[in-house]
Amino acid sequence: MTSAAYSCRVMAPRTGVAAVVLTLAGALGGCTLGSSGAPAEPSSTSRPALSPVATSSAPPPTAGLRRYYGQRLDWTDCSDGQQCATLQVPLDYARPADRSIDLALLKVSATSEAQRRGSLVINPGGPGRSGKDYAAVAEQALGPELGRAYDVVGFDPRGVGESTPVECGSDEQQNALVDSDPSPDTAAERRTTDRLIRGLGESCLRDSGALARHVSTVEVAKDMDVLRAALGEPRLTYFGASYGTFIGATYAELFPDKIDRMVLDGAIDPAASTVEVNLVQARGFETALRAYIGACIEAGDCYLGDSVDEGVRRVQELLRDVETEPLSTSSGRELTAGNAVYGIWVPLYSKLSWPVLDAGLQGAFEGDGSVLMNLADQYLQRTAEGKYSTNSAEVFNAINCLDRDDGVPSSEVERYEPRFEKASPTFGSIFAYSISTCASWPVHSGRQPQPVRAEGSPPIMVVGTTRDPATPLVWSRALADQLPQGVLVTRDGDGHLGFRAGSACTDLAVERYLIDGVVPTKDVICS
């Protein structure tokens, strides 16, 4: 891997653990990436041949949306040669004349006018992460090849960041939820957490009004088609990571004939229920933890013990101890169990971050929670004073609960716990309780998970990683199977996401597709 790091600062679970699901690459260099040496040729498994990348023309917008589709962007210099603009979209697509909201955009122009082929719209995940921030580090995140071929365009989705933002309550209110027991095991603890979640949702409605009801991924996908038109592109070229794959898959379902090329890296399965999402993630994070401990033992003189099972037990004991006796930190705040879980999860997103987890756990074993708290702060985009620097934590549930309105009441979670604890003896109870988050959230959409059909789309490339904790490979396989012309690229490795994660074979497959339109005739397997 290259040494230039981009701290993607993932959004997380807890306020709905399915959240880790929906994130960009891990903190501390998790999405930095790149590889050295000559690219290896991909190997393949059997798959029917796919047609070349298709072309199509989009139908005109409806009369009510014509003024939005007719926009032309006024780009102005904003920093370091980058350009910024604002796009208007309707708050409610069912009533486009009523109210508009703003989307903040950032563009990094192609470095080669001769090789430029158009705009590449990108989204880093979350939900709730800034696409502007992602585009600002396009050179590190996407590499020089894509940078020569495309104007890279990032947007803060509706409700997020510098776009018209969702606002929910206070930092203290958010911290109370983060600090609470992530696996409440008594009726009183469950009532407390339910009250905190509901209170946060009610504050979203109070502080943001109708916007809190209109930040779904369906609406973000519709916004992205308005953006496509404003960019002057007859068809969309898109790269989505983690939750960004859900935006891409939703766009493919709504606008299959408006796609040029699309890569979905670290996919979410749109057909998976909240229970299924959390079960798969629980297993994914347990696998990642065991891989981390296994590497420690293999290196020799591991601080966690002489076996993987012994190391896992030490981590489990730490989490139990912190639940009853929080640790002190250099910031003066206490490391509670909720923060400790975040601090352990973050470095599991990338092998580059494993040494930081060494420091965090060793410090915690000695009674100092500072490193784990710093990691939790990165996770939540929170300062050392406990203040949130963005609204990512606020908007996460507002989006997630509109997308999957199939939460399980907390009173029924107990019957699911054995399945979760079998999938993940370390984190299972935390993921089990997360299935109840959206049942407590006060805004309901009635949306249920559905497979994507995207009939009439061109080939779409899905990228998955064998030991990805946040978006396990099973989801990438499922999405590729659902798409009528899906092709799967599998990176055999650790960490979240596959592109620019150290596999030249994976990078080559993605770049050939996005730049030259080369669609593999078979699924690709990369080491």
Side-chain angles (χ1 to χ4, degrees), residues 346-387:
V346 168
L348 293 178
Y349 277 75
S350 170
K351 288 184 74 172
L352 291 178
S353 301
W354 286 2
V356 185
L357 183 54
D358 292 344
L361 287 175
Q362 288 181 76
F365 291 145
E366 295 169 4
D368 183 358
S370 299
V371 174
L372 291 183
M373 181 65 91
N374 288 341
L375 287 164
D377 286 343
Q378 256 195 47
Y379 211 51
L380 296 163
Q381 296 188 314
R382 186 177 60 184
T383 69
E385 292 73 37
K387 305 296 183 181

Side-chain angles (χ1 to χ4, degrees), residues 69 93 217-227 254-255:
Y69 273 84
Y93 276 87
T217 298
V218 167
E219 288 159 312
V220 173
K222 291 178 179 180
D223 293 344
M224 201 156 66
D225 198 55
V226 175
L227 173 59
L254 295 173
F255 307 104

Side-chain angles (χ1 to χ4, degrees), residues 70 85 89 93 102 125 138 156 222 345 387 462 469 473 491 499 513:
V89 294
Y93 276 87
D102 293 336
D156 287 358
K222 291 178 179 180
W345 276 340
K387 305 296 183 181
V462 181
L473 179 60
R491 177 177 74 89
F499 181 57
Y513 167 70

Side-chain angles (χ1 to χ4, degrees), residues 73 75 78 83-89 101-107 122-123 129-133 135 153-165 223 227:
L73 298 170
W75 293 104
C78 46
Q83 293 184 300
C84 293
T86 300
L87 179 75
Q88 286 195 330
V89 294
I101 56 175
D102 293 336
L103 302 186
L105 316 177
L106 185 142
K107 178 174 70 172
I122 61 174
N123 181 273
R129 311 313 269 187
S130 170
K132 284 188 65 179
D133 288 352
V153 179
F155 68 103
D156 287 358
R158 55 171 57 216
V160 173
E162 294 181 23
S163 295
T164 303
D223 293 344
L227 173 59

Side-chain angles (χ1 to χ4, degrees), residues 407-459:
V408 175
S410 61
S411 60
E412 298 179 19
V413 167
E414 189 174 0
R415 66 188 178 95
Y416 292 90
E417 284 186 311
R419 293 168 61 191
F420 279 86
E421 290 172 354
K422 181 178 180 181
S424 174
T426 308
F427 307 120
S429 59
I430 298 169
F431 281 94
Y433 190 76
S434 288
I435 68 177
S436 71
T437 298
C438 292
S440 297
W441 194 253
V443 185
H444 296 279
S445 66
R447 290 191 183 96
Q448 300 294 303
Q450 297 290 336
V452 169
R453 294 176 178 83
E455 295 295 341
S457 77

